[in-house]
Amino acid sequence: MWRYAPWLPLKVGESPVSLGEGLTPLIEAPALARAAGVRRLRIKDESRNPTGSFKARGMSAAITRARGDGVPGLVVPTAGNAGAAIAAYAAAAGLPVRVFAPRTTPRPILETIDALGAHLERVDGHIGDAGKLAAAFAAESGWWPVATLREPYRVEGMKTMGFELAEQCGWSLPDVVVYPTGGGEGTVGIWKAINELVADGWLPPDTKQPRYVVAQAVGCAPLVRAFAAGADRAEPWVDPVTYASGLRVPGPFGDRVLLRILRETNGVAASVDEDTMREATRRLSAATGIDAAPEGGCALAVLEGLVRDGTVSPDADVVVFNTGVGASYRP
Ligand SMILES: *Cc1c(COP(=O)(O)O)cnc(C)c1O
């Protein structure tokens, strides 16, 4: 992803902390397009990143700055994949890291965090509870907190998904982008990238942003509820439940900007239940050869629902993000 270095937080003379993240394939999925009832459907397969999720992009950018700026250590609350990614990049940078993750995080992810040499704290509760403990530890240790959208650099790494999308689509954008959204960093990153490409002349000034679709699980859908109510903030979701751990984020810090992106792009937020998600994940994998995460299946199932109810046109050219690898969720 560092081929886009002029748009990333890298100072002159610095080298990035990189493990080969980014430049993931955009895979044509004609069988899924037919089944969903859209003209064209492609999967942006983020499972190919180091530690198996798009979180690698944000952590590569953030840990590059952390090392460059001489921070003593790193601390992060995570629903899972961000912990594995920060463990990898901290190891690559030679920095100590403490990860706070819910006890209920899929075991392969917790084992990856541990295997990469991070100090792992298993937390009772959800990512919000982990966030409180992480903030307290950061305050007492002086280590740098790297929580979603609460520091400036992770989202900069996430922008590279938007740069790649534009480049891989031949500098013309799809009509609809479906992103399984928890904290919102992925969605905000793509949107920010498209704005920057227009501002810098890589896309024409009259470029329209794609319609963004925020896909969530019915057991944790704060953005869907806020969008349906026409609110500009999301109230925290009580008792968040979903096996798609990346979506188990009851109080997304980026709620206001996400809801604004949905309004400004004629986007929408929608959710599906666990059985629908599980079934769509299997279909996504079996139809494409991608070992999809449940979050990717969630995005596919949400798209299918939106075509059925007429929100997305059968003529649409759609990109669905598969944000992680299915293997991380199999005990
Ligand atoms: C973190 C994560 C998400 C949610 O991404 P946000 O940027 O927090 O909205 C979706 N899928 C997977 C696999 C994740 O790890």
Side-chain angles (χ1 to χ4, degrees), residues 54-55 81 180-186 246-247 295 323-324 329:
F54 76 101
K55 295 296 196 306
N81 283 319
T181 302
E185 200 166 70
L247 306 182
E295 291 85 349
T323 43
Y329 299 75

Side-chain angles (χ1 to χ4, degrees), residues 75-90:
V75 48
V76 75
T78 177
N81 283 319
I86 200 172
Y89 287 89

Side-chain angles (χ1 to χ4, degrees), residues 7-100:
W7 282 293
L8 297 176
L10 189 68
K11 291 185 184 166
V12 176
E14 267 181 359
S15 57
V17 181
S18 176
L19 293 166
E21 58 293 320
L23 213 59
T24 56
L26 182 66
I27 294 171
E28 200 77 52
L32 292 177
R34 270 193 304 280
V38 290
R39 180 167 57 84
R40 189 175 194 189
L41 176 53
R42 284 170 287 180
I43 310 291
K44 179 75 169 151
D45 184 19
E46 291 296 306
S47 72
R48 314 290 186 94
N49 282 296
T51 69
S53 85
F54 76 101
K55 295 296 196 306
R57 298 175 184 264
M59 291 306 177
S60 179
I63 307 317
T64 291
R65 282 276 35 82
R67 187 179 67 181
D69 297 346
V71 310
L74 306 158
V75 48
V76 75
T78 177
N81 283 319
I86 200 172
Y89 287 89
L95 286 169
V97 59
R98 190 167 290 218
V99 176
F100 293 82

